[in-house]
Amino acid sequence: MIRSIAQKEFVSTLRDRRFAVLSALVLVLLLAATLVGRASFRTLQRERQTAQGTVNEQFRNQPARHPHRVAHYGSFAFRPKSGLSLLDGGVDSFTGSAVYLEAHQQNSVNFSQAQQSGSLIRFGEMTVAFVLQLLVPLLIIFLCFGAFTQERETGTLKLLLSQGVSMRQVAWGKIAGYGQAVALVVTPALVLAAALLFTGEEFASNTDLVARLALFGLGYAVYFFLIVVGSVVVSARQSSSRTALVLLLGLWILGGIILPKATANLGATLYPTITKAQLDADVHEAAQHGIDGHDPHDKRAEALKANLLKKYGVDSEEKLPVSLAGVQMAAGEEYSAKVYQQHFAELNATYERQNRLSDWAGLLNPYQAIRPLSMGLAGSDFAHYVHFQQAAEAYRYALVQRLNGLQAGMGYGDKERRLDAATWRELPVFAYQAPAVGWALPRLLLPVAALLLWAAGLSWLGLRLISKSSVE
């Protein structure tokens, strides 16, 4: 009987002109967002690959120089776009795409799309995730608000129940029928996205991307299921279609607009971040306690010199087998790197506390559960950004210390000498490897748990409420 009810609802939905128009509009938006996302992804990815290749070649083709000149010349690290970012751009537009790598300091990631765009970008972008998270639920609301109220208003609910069918069976039948209709709208866009992804040479044999896309689709299937169940429950508990529609639209506005904004403001109030100027001032003050490799009169540098003379059993800098300046640079770099890492870690921890508050809000609002899950699977959330930031810093530190080691190995009088140009071609260039889905999943346990709790809770409590609803 449930199957018959589902088939009847599915066929009735397809014959409904309102659904045909709305679903066609949503489908067009999904397909357009997929194609635009793919074009934007390929453009940005090509630009960043070209830029990374250019700076790598420039670094390798430097003339004969002193190693510390090379350390100050530095390089750039460009963050590659993740494959699924064409479906969900996440925070990529606001976190920057490139970081300048140089001696003595750790720079933040700059050149974000938001910095180079107008203020309209702050209102959001038309991505596949935006359509799936906000517009498809709106379609579901218009599809399901009359699930029970229209049956009551036309008197067909009594006829249906007189056939020996329970209210719960009717509800499951309607949920299954509406679910098929929603799948008919969403599936073509996801199939197109998969085709665009896996026909590209860069993703042809990427099993990690397959796993991410499968989990991405599964997450949204659960999200749509609980929206359908919630809409049917509201319809069953209201006496008229108009009341059910108004209530559902109110919940959509509350969950999709008001609560996310309120949570973000609450997070920024409870865990305020310091300004960039204050961060720079704090780092500069802390760095003063370390060795200044450029100051020959620095007391800590003098102490390091004394230890070196004692270690090698000589009485003057000229007799040292290593360059004192190179050793001082390495010691200063080690200290300043720790200072930067400590301050950046504290700043990132503040952002993570703000994000965690929003993740916990997913227990109250399913939209705030699917959003971090979607970004995390797409590789465009804050955790993936921090992973790139740390990888760039690890490369910068290793490169600068290697150059300091080359300088130290030149011995006394290194400042008047240069290393051959071929030396720079032997140094490794920056190559970023994004983390696999196995790295991301433990960070997404809270959104996953919130979605599953919503789905299970609505199915259990909602169906109990429906079974006790009035037939009249």
Side-chain angles (χ1 to χ4, degrees):
M1 182 56 75
I2 293 177
R3 182 177 299 177
S4 300
I5 295 172
Q7 184 66 19
K8 176 259 179 188
E9 291 296 339
F10 180 61
V11 173
S12 299
T13 300
L14 295 184
R15 291 173 179 169
D16 188 337
R17 284 189 176 182
R18 294 170 300 176
F19 173 76
V21 172
L22 289 174
S23 60
L25 181 61
V26 170
L27 181 57
V28 168
L29 288 174
L30 274 175
L31 296 177
T34 305
L35 293 172
V36 171
R38 172 63 168 172
S40 174
F41 167 82
R42 299 192 75 169
T43 301
L44 292 173
Q45 187 75 328
R46 187 169 55 248
E47 288 177 352
R48 293 178 188 183
Q49 287 175 343
T50 302
Q52 189 69 69
T54 301
V55 298
N56 288 347
E57 284 303 307
Q58 290 173 342
F59 185 85
R60 284 170 163 161
N61 293 317
Q62 292 180 78
R65 278 179 170 166
H66 188 276
H68 199 62
R69 288 286 304 276
V70 177
H72 275 291
Y73 178 78
S75 184
F76 277 91
F78 290 86
R79 184 186 178 193
K81 293 283 287 181
S82 65
L84 282 191
S85 63
L86 72 92
L87 299 180
D88 190 340
V91 297
D92 280 1
S93 298
F94 302 91
T95 50
S97 58
V99 56
Y100 179 47
L101 311 173
E102 60 177 330
H104 307 315
Q105 62 181 5
Q106 178 183 350
N107 296 308
S108 55
V109 186
N110 290 312
F111 308 113
S112 68
Q113 287 177 263
Q115 288 175 321
Q116 305 166 52
S117 305
S119 57
L120 283 178
I121 197 171
R122 300 184 186 280
F123 290 94
E125 300 171 272
M126 180 58 74
T127 63
V128 172
F130 174 80
V131 179
L132 294 177
Q133 291 167 10
L134 287 175
L135 300 189
V136 171
L138 199 58
L139 173 68
I140 293 173
I141 287 173
F142 283 109
L143 178 64
C144 302
F145 74 93
F148 275 91
T149 53
Q150 287 180 353
E151 297 277 10
R152 287 197 191 95
E153 289 163 358
T154 57
T156 53
L157 185 57
K158 284 183 179 178
L159 289 176
L160 194 57
L161 296 178
S162 67
Q163 304 300 313
V165 184
S166 68
M167 285 284 281
R168 184 169 296 203
Q169 287 176 312
V170 174
W172 277 121
K174 288 180 177 293
I175 290 168
Y178 295 141
Q180 293 175 41
V182 174
L184 196 64
V185 178
V186 174
T187 303
L190 291 180
V191 170
L192 175 63
L196 290 173
L197 279 172
F198 300 113
T199 53
E201 294 179 1
E202 61 270 45
F203 302 124
S205 57
N206 192 330
T207 53
D208 184 71
L209 199 62
V210 174
R212 284 178 179 267
L213 184 61
L215 293 172
F216 187 87
L218 184 61
Y220 276 101
V222 175
Y223 178 62
F224 297 146
F225 168 76
L226 67 90
I227 298 291
V228 170
V229 173
S231 300
V232 170
V233 170
V234 169
S235 178
R237 301 293 296 176
Q238 300 303 312
S239 57
S240 72
S241 298
R242 179 179 300 178
T243 309
L245 179 59
V246 171
L247 181 57
L248 286 169
L249 288 177
L251 291 174
W252 179 83
I253 294 172
L254 179 68
I257 299 174
I258 297 176
L259 281 180
K261 181 64 176 172
T263 306
N265 290 340
L266 180 62
T269 303
L270 292 177
Y271 308 110
T273 54
I274 63 173
T275 63
K276 187 176 186 304
Q278 184 62 51
L279 176 67
D280 291 342
D282 292 346
V283 170
H284 179 73
E285 182 181 356
Q288 298 300 312
H289 300 294
I291 291 177
D292 185 350
H294 289 286
D295 182 4
H297 304 297
D298 184 82
K299 291 182 179 178
R300 294 171 293 270
E302 288 294 328
L304 179 62
K305 177 182 175 180
N307 288 335
L308 273 180
L309 294 176
K310 182 179 180 181
K311 175 182 176 183
Y312 288 103
V314 295
D315 56 5
S316 68
E317 180 183 344
E318 290 81 356
K319 295 178 182 176
L320 284 172
V322 295
S323 162
L324 175 61
V327 176
Q328 289 174 339
M329 289 293 176
E333 193 66 44
E334 182 180 358
Y335 183 84
S336 64
K338 288 180 180 176
V339 170
Y340 274 98
Q341 286 171 10
Q342 178 187 348
H343 284 78
F344 272 87
E346 291 172 357
L347 183 63
N348 288 337
T350 302
Y351 286 130
E352 285 170 0
R353 282 193 286 270
Q354 293 178 357
N355 293 335
R356 184 55 61 178
L357 184 67
S358 182
D359 290 347
W360 279 106
L363 294 171
L364 301 174
N365 178 17
Y367 170 69
Q368 289 177 272
I370 189 63
R371 196 169 62 168
L373 179 62
S374 177
M375 288 191 294
L377 291 174
S380 57
D381 62 350
F382 184 70
H384 283 80
Y385 160 73
V386 172
H387 186 276
F388 166 78
Q389 186 186 51
Q390 293 174 343
E393 168 55 18
Y395 169 79
R396 184 202 70 82
Y397 181 72
L399 175 65
V400 172
Q401 290 296 57
R402 184 164 176 170
L403 291 168
N404 288 333
L406 289 174
Q407 181 182 354
M410 293 166 73
Y412 179 73
D414 65 284
K415 293 181 180 178
E416 285 72 36
R417 296 203 297 274
R418 306 286 184 269
L419 292 182
D420 188 77
T423 306
W424 322 130
R425 287 191 285 274
E426 297 175 359
L427 297 176
V429 294
F430 181 73
Y432 178 64
Q433 181 62 49
V437 66
W439 175 89
L441 285 178
R443 293 163 174 77
L444 301 174
L445 287 179
L446 182 55
V448 169
L451 267 187
L452 294 178
L453 284 173
W454 265 102
L458 268 179
S459 300
W460 178 75
L461 181 61
L463 271 295
R464 283 177 65 89
L465 289 174
I466 287 177
S467 63
K468 297 177 181 177
S469 299
S470 170
V471 180
E472 298 295 334

